[in-house]
Amino acid sequence: MTMVKTAQAPSASWGDAPRPSILIVDDRWQNLLATEALLKPLGAEIVTAESGEAALNLVLERHFAIVLLDVQMPGMDGFETARLMKTRPSMQGVPIIFVTAISKEDHYATEAAAIGAVDYIFKPINPDILKSKVQVYLDLYTQQQQILQLNATLLQSNEELERFAYVCSHDMKEPVRMMNIYAGFLAEDSAEALDEDGKRYVQYIRDNATRLNRMIGDILNFSRVGREAMEVEPVDTRRVFDEVCVGLAGVIEGSRAQVSCGPLPEMQTSPTLMRVLLQNLIGNALKFQDGSRTPEIHVSARREGRAYRFDIVDNGIGIDPAYAERIFTIFQRLHTEDEFPGTGIGLSTCRKFVRLYGGDITFTSKPGEGTTFSFTLPERAEL
């Protein structure tokens, strides 16, 4: 036989979290009534069951914040009931408090702890102590539910924002491309009809279209991280390094930069991830130079436990450590577009990408002397 009773909530406040439920299991109705009366002022919903079998039926139907379980019951005792409850995924984290009048030897308490009970209380129950303990677990349950709700809300908001950014960026690419094309037609076909101001204005349009197209591409790349399936495969990171250098050959040759690497490993990871990281970090190392010396960039890797740590060392302008967090924030830039062109998305994409694979990215720097960006990646990414 089971009874479901809803207590009034005179003072309890659960915020936006669902009202918690307490399950009390005891074969004596007198004990059920007494415990229910004792806990009623806490404001939680109280559900009672007079046998282990009835309690198991209840946990199949609903979720409980805490269970008070009598040890000695005819048929299925409290220990067996608790073991079967713990086989339910929904009961894995639910605290169980055993209550007993007979089984007071230490080995019973040890057995209760092995099952996963959070407490073992002897009858007669001290009312104040029991209420305090139950209140603590109700508070923990409420906080856990609020955190879960907040996480769900944040996750939904992030997904909506990333979807919005993806859709907007994708739909903006074609108009920007057409604007650039027609500005080019105007510059070529109507050059004689344009005065100097007109030619300058057309060039402004083309320069800004190019910049906007680059920004849209970076936003698309940023929003794609985590949205699309990621392939993990054996990756020769030295080969990726060579491919990135070929892609940056124009910049390397133009600045007479010296770009080198030490032994780089073959590892299980995403080739796209490795290419994004090396392209952004080597590209930044080439870009953020003051022109007073030949750019020198060196890439190395070493094993750290079950991960690889990659260092990209340059002799560029360096970064003030005060901006340690800001540089990884999307759209945050430390320099004007005239000083160093860019979108402020590259490093945030790197951090988002590398954390998704279980690694992290940091840097050390001395302004005026250079910077070392370091990122770690698990030897074998598990997604």
Side-chain angles (χ1 to χ4, degrees):
M1 177 181 177
T2 62
M3 295 179 286
V4 179
K5 297 182 179 179
T6 302
Q8 298 298 317
S11 59
S13 176
W14 315 114
D16 295 329
R19 190 180 180 195
S21 298
I22 302 172
L23 175 59
I24 307 172
V25 188
D26 200 306
D27 61 307
R28 293 172 61 87
W29 63 269
Q30 299 92 334
N31 291 340
L32 290 175
L33 286 177
T35 309
E36 180 183 353
L38 174 67
L39 301 179
K40 186 176 180 180
L42 299 181
E45 185 178 38
I46 295 178
V47 181
T48 60
E50 295 183 354
S51 68
E53 291 84 352
L56 292 176
N57 286 331
L58 285 168
V59 300
L60 291 174
E61 300 170 355
R62 54 193 303 171
H63 186 74
F64 293 98
I66 181 171
V67 177
L68 274 69
L69 192 54
D70 185 26
V71 175
Q72 289 81 31
M73 293 187 293
M76 186 182 299
D77 66 12
F79 290 152
E80 184 62 21
T81 303
R83 288 192 188 92
L84 292 173
M85 282 183 174
K86 288 294 184 181
T87 62
R88 299 289 305 170
S90 63
M91 291 295 294
Q92 290 296 320
V94 177
I96 294 178
I97 296 177
F98 280 110
V99 182
T100 182
I102 302 174
S103 305
K104 297 184 178 181
E105 293 85 354
D106 288 344
H107 68 90
Y108 286 117
T110 302
E111 184 176 356
I115 295 171
V118 297
D119 212 335
Y120 196 81
I121 298 177
F122 300 139
K123 296 177 183 177
I125 297 173
N126 182 313
D128 293 333
I129 291 177
L130 181 61
K131 283 176 63 178
S132 296
K133 290 184 176 183
V134 171
Q135 182 66 66
V136 167
Y137 288 111
L138 288 177
D139 291 343
L140 289 174
Y141 174 83
T142 302
Q143 293 170 8
Q144 181 190 45
Q145 294 303 308
Q146 290 172 340
I147 291 171
L148 289 174
Q149 284 187 347
L150 181 61
N151 284 344
T153 302
L154 289 174
L155 181 62
Q156 183 179 1
S157 296
N158 281 338
E159 289 177 349
E160 290 174 351
L161 281 173
E162 291 182 358
R163 195 177 304 119
F164 177 76
Y166 179 83
V167 171
C168 285
S169 301
H170 187 270
D171 291 349
M172 287 170 63
K173 282 185 73 72
E174 185 60 17
V176 171
R177 190 178 74 86
M178 297 307 296
M179 183 172 67
N180 199 18
I181 289 175
Y182 283 109
F185 288 161
L186 188 62
E188 294 175 5
D189 299 342
S190 305
E192 295 181 358
L194 294 172
D195 59 15
E196 290 305 313
D197 285 342
K199 293 177 182 177
R200 190 168 67 254
Y201 297 153
V202 170
Q203 189 58 45
Y204 285 159
I205 294 173
R206 300 188 69 181
D207 289 345
N208 280 282
T210 300
R211 183 186 171 200
L212 185 56
N213 191 53
R214 186 172 65 235
M215 181 178 290
I216 290 171
D218 287 347
I219 293 174
L220 274 172
N221 289 335
F222 184 83
S223 64
R224 279 174 178 150
V225 176
R227 288 174 53 87
E228 299 179 349
M230 294 175 287
E231 301 292 335
V232 175
E233 59 188 71
V235 175
D236 183 347
T237 58
R238 170 58 196 257
R239 184 171 182 176
V240 176
F241 169 83
D242 291 338
E243 292 171 353
V244 168
C245 287
V246 169
L248 295 170
V251 182
I252 294 173
E253 292 173 3
S255 60
R256 300 180 181 277
Q258 298 175 8
V259 182
S260 60
C261 73
L264 299 179
E266 180 172 320
M267 58 187 295
Q268 284 282 341
T269 189
S270 159
T272 302
L273 164 67
M274 189 56 64
R275 189 168 293 105
V276 166
L277 290 169
L278 293 181
Q279 186 158 325
N280 273 281
L281 297 177
I282 296 175
N284 283 348
L286 289 166
K287 180 167 65 176
F288 292 102
Q289 299 280 339
D290 61 10
S292 63
R293 52 186 178 268
T294 300
E296 296 178 359
I297 296 104
H298 183 73
V299 179
S300 62
R302 65 177 186 273
R303 185 188 290 271
E304 285 189 348
R306 293 188 173 183
Y308 279 103
R309 174 192 173 108
F310 289 77
D311 293 320
I312 295 85
V313 183
D314 69 57
N315 63 343
I317 62 173
I319 304 170
D320 188 330
Y323 301 124
E325 193 58 31
R326 181 178 170 185
I327 65 166
F328 291 110
T329 303
I330 190 169
F331 298 130
Q332 293 293 319
R333 305 189 60 217
L334 305 184
H335 307 279
T336 65
E337 177 72 14
D338 292 336
E339 292 175 315
F340 297 101
T343 60
I345 300 176
L347 286 177
S348 55
T349 300
C350 288
R351 185 165 75 169
K352 185 178 179 183
F353 224 150
V354 79
R355 287 186 172 178
L356 199 62
Y357 274 75
D360 205 354
I361 182 169
T362 58
F363 77 91
T364 57
S365 181
K366 287 186 177 180
E369 297 184 17
T371 302
T372 299
F373 273 94
S374 304
F375 66 86
T376 57
L377 287 175
E379 182 182 11
R380 178 180 291 274
E382 296 181 0
L383 303 176

